Amino acid sequence: MQKVQKATIFAAVITSFITTFMGSALNLSVPDMSSEFNVSASAIGWVVTVYMLTAAAFSVPFGRIADLTSRKIVLVSGIAVFGTASLFSIFAKGLVYVIIGRGIQGFGASMIFATNHAVLISEFDEDERGKVLGYATASTYVGLAAGPVLGGFLNYNFGWRSIFAAGVVVSVIVFAAALFGIPSKNKETAKVQANTEKKDSIIHAEKTDTKIKKKDWNTAGNVLFICTLLALVYGLTDLMRNSFAPYIAGAGIILGIIFVICELKAKSPIIDVRIFKSNIAYTMSNMAALLGYGAVYAISYLLSIYLQSARGYNSQAAGLILIASPAVMAILSPITGRLSDRVQPFILAVSGMAAVSLALLVFAFISEDTPLAVIIGTLLLSGAGAALFSTPNTNAVMSYVTQESLGVASSVLATMRSLGHTVSMTIITITVSLYIGDRTLKDAEPEILISVMHTAFIVFTVLAVIGALFSLKHTVNKQEQN
């Protein structure tokens, strides 16, 4: 393996971990922040919400910028912004400053989401795509699942600022690796320029390239997309706490419809929405990703509270139990990635989502007396299913686009993940409101907590089954094409 490829894998893997880790690690620090700054629960909720908002809204626009310019520049800039925001948050003296830091951190994360997978894929041949995606996907899942566990450990022993300090250290390391190890130009861009230079003069090529890029930048489309995601994600996230949130979410849906109409008419759309109609398999894979992430995102969140509140385990013991799922993901994702280079990836994706569905169904019936071995075994099953699904599904999605559109395709997948997370937390918020009102899950009686879990996991099971059906439809379409 070449030095450039090693540096690219390192940058993709570490950025996949730290961005998703920071997205979930602060969840257990929210009560301490609320006490330190003496603010309400609704106000402190913005620490989590603002990160999701900015990360979701700006991923696709930055993916477009990266495809038109240099993915390395966008990636390195994103890492720098992310690290700087983490440093700023360490010294925050009020909640407003923490929220500002988190917003900027999400902005940097959107630049990373838009480029890390695209950079990774562009440096490897197609027959190695699944393998290297497996490494990055494993890191993403580990970051999501380990966030509450490691974040809780850091918060308990060193305070919530230590989580941001960890973000700074990791950002510095991966910034250096990306800056000095990744090529300056997109591989396919370099090839196009080389061919152009053979046909025309360098000056003519540069002028033509500049004109094309100016033409390709779709300002109206980017603004509409950003507004759509901001309204939709905020509206869903704050659905039960803000009386205006349903209307904001509705406005997001309307803006999304306007965005699609405008993109259909645009000469250079930021997302070629026609591909969702012409390539059903691509559409199904993206929908399966949204539903898959929505189904599994809240597993560790719900079970961590269940293990502590209903079963009496301390946070450290609960963390050791919950680590079973990300451990399996980390081990199996590279393996399933290699398999997806040899076996049709959508077949693996169907199997994975079916396993996730079964695990969620088991969780929907656990009680205070459920043997710990059953819980750990089900966590292992959910982790194996997630590993079987995610990498092959990502491989399938990225195989449907050209090299020139890898940035946007990567961004769309990142947006599906963010929307999936938002849907997952919205389901929990609604369920909690129905059962326990304004109280938190930690304050609920064990029997009520169990009821909340049963309802939420049944809904998540339905999402996973629908995701499996989307993947199955994808399989049928592929077989018909062959």
Side-chain angles (χ1 to χ4, degrees):
M1 189 180 293
Q2 299 176 2
K3 184 178 179 180
V4 168
Q5 292 178 325
K6 290 180 180 179
T8 304
I9 289 177
F10 178 81
V13 166
I14 300 304
T15 52
S16 294
F17 171 80
I18 192 62
T19 46
T20 50
F21 170 79
M22 289 297 296
S24 58
L26 286 170
N27 287 344
L28 295 181
S29 305
V30 165
D32 289 343
M33 284 189 191
S34 181
S35 299
E36 178 176 336
F37 297 126
N38 193 26
V39 294
S40 66
S42 59
I44 203 71
W46 274 99
V47 173
V48 176
T49 301
V50 72
Y51 182 86
M52 296 175 64
L53 280 173
T54 50
F58 292 95
S59 291
V60 169
F62 276 122
R64 186 62 173 163
I65 292 173
D67 284 340
L68 293 175
T69 56
S70 167
R71 293 181 191 130
K72 174 182 177 177
I73 291 176
V74 176
L75 176 61
V76 171
S77 300
I79 296 169
V81 170
F82 188 91
T84 302
S86 300
L87 181 63
F88 173 84
S89 300
I90 294 174
F91 302 101
K93 295 183 178 180
L95 179 63
V96 172
Y97 296 102
V98 176
I99 292 173
I100 291 172
R102 285 285 280 171
I104 299 173
Q105 199 177 55
F107 189 77
S110 71
M111 301 169 78
I112 295 171
F113 291 148
T115 50
N116 59 352
H117 281 186
V119 166
L120 183 62
I121 290 173
S122 66
E123 290 302 322
F124 288 85
D125 296 330
E126 284 191 21
D127 59 354
E128 295 183 292
R129 175 178 290 172
K131 179 182 71 174
V132 295
L133 278 173
Y135 300 137
T137 303
S139 185
T140 297
Y141 272 117
V142 170
L144 287 172
V149 179
L150 296 180
F153 171 81
L154 289 172
N155 178 70
Y156 180 79
N157 291 282
F158 308 105
W160 59 266
R161 298 174 194 271
S162 64
I163 299 175
F164 289 109
V168 173
V169 173
V170 175
S171 296
V172 170
I173 295 171
V174 74
F175 176 85
L179 182 63
F180 298 109
I182 297 176
S184 298
K185 296 181 179 178
N186 302 338
K187 183 182 270 188
E188 64 278 0
T189 301
K191 289 180 180 178
V192 171
Q193 289 182 349
N195 292 333
T196 304
E197 288 173 1
K198 291 180 181 179
K199 297 178 181 179
D200 304 296
S201 67
I202 296 177
I203 296 176
H204 177 72
E206 290 176 350
K207 289 182 178 179
T208 302
D209 185 58
T210 301
K211 289 179 181 178
I212 291 173
K213 288 179 181 178
K214 286 182 179 179
K215 180 181 177 181
D216 281 349
W217 179 248
N218 185 346
T219 303
N222 279 283
V223 171
L224 268 174
F225 182 84
I226 292 170
C227 291
T228 296
L229 265 294
L230 286 175
L232 189 58
V233 174
Y234 171 72
L236 290 175
T237 302
D238 222 32
L239 197 61
M240 303 303 293
R241 293 177 294 184
N242 187 336
S243 59
F244 292 102
Y247 302 104
I248 296 173
I253 294 173
I254 294 172
L255 287 172
I257 295 171
I258 296 173
F259 168 76
V260 170
I261 295 172
C262 291
E263 290 297 280
L264 286 171
K265 297 179 180 179
K267 293 182 179 179
S268 301
I270 62 170
I271 299 177
D272 187 3
V273 294
R274 296 175 185 86
I275 193 176
F276 290 98
K277 181 179 180 180
S278 62
N279 193 329
I280 299 300
Y282 177 80
T283 304
M284 294 296 174
S285 295
N286 273 290
M287 289 302 300
L290 187 153
L291 294 167
Y293 280 111
V296 303
Y297 179 66
I299 290 178
S300 62
Y301 177 82
L302 285 173
L303 288 182
S304 64
I305 297 173
Y306 160 77
L307 290 169
Q308 294 178 72
S309 299
R311 300 296 293 266
Y313 292 98
N314 59 39
S315 59
Q316 184 174 356
L320 290 174
I321 294 169
L322 292 173
I323 209 71
S325 184
V328 171
M329 294 177 198
I331 293 170
L332 292 185
S333 288
I335 298 173
T336 59
R338 292 191 188 96
L339 281 176
S340 70
D341 289 328
R342 297 171 175 81
V343 181
Q344 292 179 326
F346 45 84
I347 295 176
L348 299 174
V350 173
S351 303
M353 192 50 62
V356 168
S357 301
L358 179 59
L360 289 167
L361 187 61
V362 173
F363 284 137
F365 291 97
I366 62 174
S367 66
E368 292 182 66
D369 302 321
T370 300
L372 184 60
V374 172
I375 295 173
I376 294 176
T378 310
L379 281 169
L380 293 173
L381 177 62
S382 68
L388 265 175
F389 169 77
S390 188
T391 305
N393 190 71
T394 301
N395 194 3
V397 170
M398 302 303 275
S399 69
Y400 292 126
V401 298
T402 62
Q403 284 279 329
E404 292 79 7
S405 300
L406 286 176
V408 169
S410 178
S411 303
V412 170
L413 267 178
T415 303
M416 293 298 107
R417 181 171 64 241
S418 296
L419 287 176
H421 298 170
T422 303
V423 169
S424 189
M425 294 309 296
T426 300
I427 290 169
I428 290 178
T429 300
I430 294 174
T431 306
V432 170
S433 296
L434 291 174
Y435 280 94
I436 63 176
D438 295 331
R439 290 182 295 165
T440 65
L441 280 174
K442 289 185 177 181
D443 296 330
E445 293 81 4
E447 58 273 15
I448 296 180
L449 173 60
I450 297 295
S451 297
V452 170
M453 290 181 58
H454 286 174
T455 302
F457 277 125
I458 287 173
V459 176
F460 293 142
T461 301
V462 172
L463 291 183
V465 169
I466 297 174
L469 292 175
F470 275 120
S471 292
L472 186 61
K473 177 65 175 176
H474 179 181
T475 304
V476 172
N477 288 335
K478 266 295 196 180
Q479 289 175 343
E480 291 175 350
Q481 292 173 10
N482 294 334

